[in-house]
Amino acid sequence: TKEMEGNKRPQVHQVIPLMDDIYKILETHRDNIFLDSRLRFAAQKGITLLNKYYAKTDDSLIYRSAMLLHPSYKTSYFTQEEWPDDWITTAKETLKTFWETYYKPKSKPPPQPTKD
């Protein structure tokens, strides 16, 4: 909640960690048998909604790219959060393909020797 107060919005590289934090809190509440069943149900509904939006991050290269390119995260965040290895590999390959397609400098042919 503190991260989202006022007009402050999270930066792109903060979105996935924030969603993960919210998920963990909701999961704890959903699984707490001492809470009223309505609260546990509300937590489950929150998880369902969060999963819907989390899945949408797969449709956009920007979220994973921001994480992979951020000096503090790179792949360590995904490893720490126990993402499956194939998800991490896919994220890296997608970013690499995007870079090669749109940003990698085009190679120039070697200069031709001049005749004197």
Coordinates of all heavy atoms in Angstrom, one line a residue, residues 31-69:
D31 N -5.5 -19.0 3.3 CA -5.2 -20.3 3.9 C -5.3 -20.2 5.5 O -5.1 -21.2 6.1 CB -3.8 -20.7 3.5 CG -3.6 -21.0 2.0 OD1 -4.7 -21.2 1.4 OD2 -2.5 -21.0 1.5
N32 N -5.6 -19.1 6.0 CA -5.7 -18.9 7.5 C -7.1 -19.4 7.9 O -8.1 -18.7 7.8 CB -5.5 -17.4 7.8 CG -5.5 -17.2 9.3 OD1 -5.9 -18.1 10.1 ND2 -5.0 -16.1 9.7
I33 N -7.1 -20.6 8.5 CA -8.4 -21.2 9.0 C -9.0 -20.4 10.1 O -10.2 -20.7 10.4 CB -8.2 -22.7 9.3 CG1 -7.2 -22.9 10.5 CG2 -7.7 -23.5 8.1 CD1 -7.1 -24.3 11.1
F34 N -8.3 -19.5 10.8 CA -8.8 -18.8 11.9 C -9.6 -17.5 11.4 O -10.3 -16.9 12.2 CB -7.7 -18.4 12.9 CG -7.1 -19.7 13.4 CD1 -5.8 -20.0 13.1 CD2 -7.7 -20.5 14.3 CE1 -5.2 -21.1 13.6 CE2 -7.2 -21.6 14.8 CZ -5.9 -22.0 14.5
L35 N -9.5 -17.2 10.1 CA -10.2 -16.0 9.6 C -11.6 -16.5 9.2 O -11.8 -17.6 8.9 CB -9.5 -15.5 8.4 CG -8.2 -14.7 8.6 CD1 -7.6 -14.2 7.3 CD2 -8.5 -13.4 9.5
D36 N -12.5 -15.5 9.3 CA -13.9 -15.7 8.8 C -13.8 -16.2 7.4 O -13.0 -15.8 6.6 CB -14.6 -14.4 8.9 CG -16.1 -14.5 8.6 OD1 -16.4 -14.5 7.4 OD2 -16.9 -14.7 9.5
S37 N -14.7 -17.1 7.1 CA -14.8 -17.7 5.7 C -15.0 -16.7 4.6 O -14.5 -16.8 3.5 CB -15.8 -18.8 5.6 OG -17.1 -18.2 5.8
R38 N -15.7 -15.6 5.0 CA -15.9 -14.5 4.0 C -14.6 -13.8 3.6 O -14.4 -13.4 2.5 CB -17.0 -13.5 4.5 CG -18.4 -14.1 4.5 CD -19.3 -13.2 5.3 NE -18.9 -13.2 6.7 CZ -19.6 -12.7 7.6 NH1 -20.8 -12.1 7.4 NH2 -19.2 -12.8 8.9
L39 N -13.7 -13.6 4.6 CA -12.4 -13.0 4.3 C -11.6 -13.9 3.5 O -10.9 -13.5 2.6 CB -11.7 -12.6 5.6 CG -12.4 -11.5 6.4 CD1 -11.7 -11.3 7.8 CD2 -12.3 -10.2 5.7
R40 N -11.6 -15.2 3.8 CA -10.8 -16.2 3.0 C -11.3 -16.2 1.6 O -10.6 -16.3 0.7 CB -10.9 -17.6 3.7 CG -10.1 -17.6 5.0 CD -9.9 -19.0 5.6 NE -10.9 -20.0 5.3 CZ -11.8 -20.3 6.2 NH1 -11.8 -19.8 7.4 NH2 -12.7 -21.2 5.9
F41 N -12.7 -16.2 1.4 CA -13.2 -16.2 0.1 C -12.8 -14.9 -0.7 O -12.5 -15.0 -1.8 CB -14.8 -16.2 0.2 CG -15.5 -16.2 -1.1 CD1 -15.5 -17.4 -1.9 CD2 -16.1 -15.1 -1.6 CE1 -16.1 -17.4 -3.2 CE2 -16.7 -15.1 -2.8 CZ -16.7 -16.2 -3.6
A42 N -12.8 -13.8 0.0 CA -12.4 -12.5 -0.6 C -11.0 -12.6 -1.0 O -10.6 -12.1 -2.1 CB -12.7 -11.3 0.3
A43 N -10.1 -13.2 -0.2 CA -8.7 -13.3 -0.5 C -8.6 -14.2 -1.8 O -7.8 -13.9 -2.7 CB -7.9 -13.9 0.6
Q44 N -9.4 -15.3 -1.9 CA -9.3 -16.1 -3.0 C -9.7 -15.4 -4.3 O -9.2 -15.5 -5.4 CB -10.2 -17.4 -2.9 CG -10.2 -18.3 -4.1 CD -8.8 -18.8 -4.5 OE1 -8.0 -19.2 -3.7 NE2 -8.4 -18.6 -5.8
K45 N -10.8 -14.6 -4.2 CA -11.2 -13.8 -5.3 C -10.1 -12.8 -5.7 O -9.9 -12.6 -6.9 CB -12.5 -13.0 -5.0 CG -13.7 -13.9 -4.8 CD -14.0 -14.7 -6.1 CE -15.2 -14.2 -6.7 NZ -15.5 -14.9 -7.9
G46 N -9.4 -12.2 -4.7 CA -8.3 -11.3 -5.0 C -7.2 -12.1 -5.8 O -6.6 -11.5 -6.7
I47 N -6.9 -13.3 -5.4 CA -5.9 -14.1 -6.0 C -6.3 -14.4 -7.5 O -5.5 -14.3 -8.4 CB -5.6 -15.4 -5.3 CG1 -4.9 -15.1 -4.0 CG2 -4.9 -16.4 -6.1 CD1 -4.8 -16.3 -3.0
T48 N -7.6 -14.7 -7.7 CA -8.1 -15.0 -9.0 C -7.9 -13.8 -9.9 O -7.4 -13.9 -11.1 CB -9.5 -15.4 -9.0 OG1 -9.6 -16.6 -8.1 CG2 -10.1 -15.7 -10.3
L49 N -8.3 -12.6 -9.4 CA -8.2 -11.4 -10.2 C -6.7 -11.0 -10.5 O -6.3 -10.7 -11.6 CB -8.8 -10.2 -9.5 CG -8.9 -8.9 -10.2 CD1 -9.7 -9.1 -11.5 CD2 -9.5 -7.8 -9.3
L50 N -5.9 -11.2 -9.4 CA -4.4 -10.9 -9.6 C -3.8 -11.9 -10.6 O -3.0 -11.4 -11.5 CB -3.7 -11.1 -8.2 CG -2.3 -10.6 -8.1 CD1 -2.2 -9.1 -8.4 CD2 -1.8 -10.8 -6.7
N51 N -4.2 -13.1 -10.6 CA -3.7 -14.1 -11.6 C -4.1 -13.7 -13.0 O -3.3 -13.8 -14.0 CB -4.2 -15.5 -11.3 CG -3.4 -16.1 -10.2 OD1 -2.3 -15.8 -9.9 ND2 -4.0 -17.1 -9.6
K52 N -5.3 -13.1 -13.2 CA -5.7 -12.6 -14.5 C -4.8 -11.6 -15.0 O -4.4 -11.6 -16.2 CB -7.2 -12.1 -14.4 CG -7.7 -11.4 -15.6 CD -9.0 -10.8 -15.4 CE -9.5 -10.0 -16.5 NZ -10.8 -9.3 -16.3
Y53 N -4.5 -10.6 -14.2 CA -3.6 -9.5 -14.6 C -2.1 -9.9 -14.7 O -1.4 -9.5 -15.5 CB -3.8 -8.3 -13.7 CG -5.1 -7.6 -13.9 CD1 -6.1 -7.8 -13.0 CD2 -5.3 -6.9 -15.1 CE1 -7.4 -7.2 -13.3 CE2 -6.6 -6.3 -15.4 CZ -7.6 -6.5 -14.4 OH -8.8 -5.9 -14.7
Y54 N -1.7 -10.9 -13.8 CA -0.4 -11.4 -13.9 C -0.2 -12.1 -15.2 O 0.9 -11.9 -15.9 CB -0.1 -12.4 -12.7 CG 1.3 -12.5 -12.4 CD1 1.8 -12.0 -11.2 CD2 2.2 -13.2 -13.2 CE1 3.2 -12.2 -10.8 CE2 3.5 -13.3 -12.9 CZ 4.0 -12.8 -11.7 OH 5.3 -13.0 -11.4
A55 N -1.1 -12.8 -15.7 CA -1.0 -13.5 -16.9 C -0.9 -12.5 -18.1 O -0.2 -12.9 -19.1 CB -2.3 -14.4 -17.2
K56 N -1.5 -11.4 -18.0 CA -1.4 -10.4 -19.0 C 0.1 -9.8 -19.2 O 0.4 -9.3 -20.2 CB -2.3 -9.2 -18.8 CG -3.8 -9.6 -19.0 CD -4.7 -8.5 -18.9 CE -6.1 -8.9 -19.1 NZ -6.5 -9.4 -20.4
T57 N 0.9 -10.0 -18.1 CA 2.3 -9.6 -18.3 C 3.0 -10.5 -19.3 O 4.0 -10.1 -19.8 CB 3.0 -9.5 -16.9 OG1 3.2 -10.9 -16.4 CG2 2.4 -8.6 -15.9
D58 N 2.5 -11.7 -19.5 CA 3.1 -12.6 -20.5 C 2.9 -12.0 -21.9 O 3.6 -12.4 -22.8 CB 2.5 -14.0 -20.4 CG 3.1 -14.7 -19.2 OD1 4.1 -14.3 -18.7 OD2 2.5 -15.7 -18.8
D59 N 1.8 -11.3 -22.1 CA 1.5 -10.7 -23.4 C 2.3 -9.5 -23.8 O 2.3 -9.0 -24.9 CB 0.0 -10.3 -23.5 CG -0.9 -11.6 -23.3 OD1 -0.4 -12.7 -23.6 OD2 -2.1 -11.4 -22.9
S60 N 3.1 -9.0 -22.8 CA 3.9 -7.8 -23.0 C 5.3 -8.1 -22.7 O 5.6 -8.5 -21.6 CB 3.3 -6.6 -22.1 OG 4.2 -5.5 -22.2
L61 N 6.2 -7.8 -23.6 CA 7.6 -8.0 -23.4 C 8.2 -7.1 -22.3 O 9.2 -7.4 -21.6 CB 8.3 -7.8 -24.7 CG 9.8 -7.9 -24.7 CD1 10.2 -9.3 -24.4 CD2 10.4 -7.4 -26.0
I62 N 7.5 -5.9 -22.1 CA 8.1 -4.9 -21.2 C 8.4 -5.3 -19.8 O 9.4 -5.0 -19.2 CB 7.2 -3.6 -21.3 CG1 8.0 -2.4 -20.7 CG2 5.9 -3.8 -20.6 CD1 9.1 -1.9 -21.5
Y63 N 7.5 -6.1 -19.2 CA 7.6 -6.4 -17.8 C 8.8 -7.3 -17.5 O 9.7 -7.0 -16.7 CB 6.4 -7.1 -17.2 CG 5.2 -6.1 -17.2 CD1 4.2 -6.2 -18.2 CD2 5.1 -5.1 -16.3 CE1 3.2 -5.3 -18.3 CE2 4.1 -4.2 -16.3 CZ 3.1 -4.3 -17.3 OH 2.1 -3.4 -17.3
R64 N 8.9 -8.4 -18.3 CA 10.1 -9.3 -18.1 C 11.4 -8.6 -18.5 O 12.4 -8.8 -17.9 CB 9.8 -10.6 -18.9 CG 8.8 -11.5 -18.2 CD 8.6 -12.7 -19.0 NE 7.6 -12.4 -20.1 CZ 7.3 -13.2 -21.1 NH1 7.9 -14.3 -21.2 NH2 6.5 -12.8 -22.0
S65 N 11.3 -7.8 -19.6 CA 12.5 -7.1 -20.0 C 13.0 -6.2 -19.0 O 14.2 -6.1 -18.7 CB 12.2 -6.3 -21.3 OG 11.8 -7.2 -22.3
A66 N 12.1 -5.4 -18.4 CA 12.5 -4.5 -17.3 C 13.1 -5.2 -16.2 O 14.1 -4.7 -15.6 CB 11.3 -3.7 -16.8
M67 N 12.6 -6.4 -15.8 CA 13.3 -7.2 -14.8 C 14.6 -7.7 -15.2 O 15.6 -7.6 -14.5 CB 12.4 -8.4 -14.4 CG 11.0 -8.0 -13.9 SD 11.1 -7.2 -12.3 CE 11.6 -8.6 -11.3
L68 N 14.7 -8.3 -16.4 CA 16.0 -8.9 -16.9 C 17.1 -7.8 -17.1 O 18.2 -8.1 -16.9 CB 15.7 -9.6 -18.2 CG 14.9 -10.9 -18.0 CD1 14.6 -11.5 -19.4 CD2 15.7 -12.0 -17.3
L69 N 16.7 -6.6 -17.5 CA 17.7 -5.6 -17.7 C 18.0 -4.7 -16.5 O 19.0 -4.0 -16.5 CB 17.2 -4.7 -18.9 CG 17.0 -5.4 -20.2 CD1 16.3 -4.4 -21.2 CD2 18.3 -5.9 -20.7

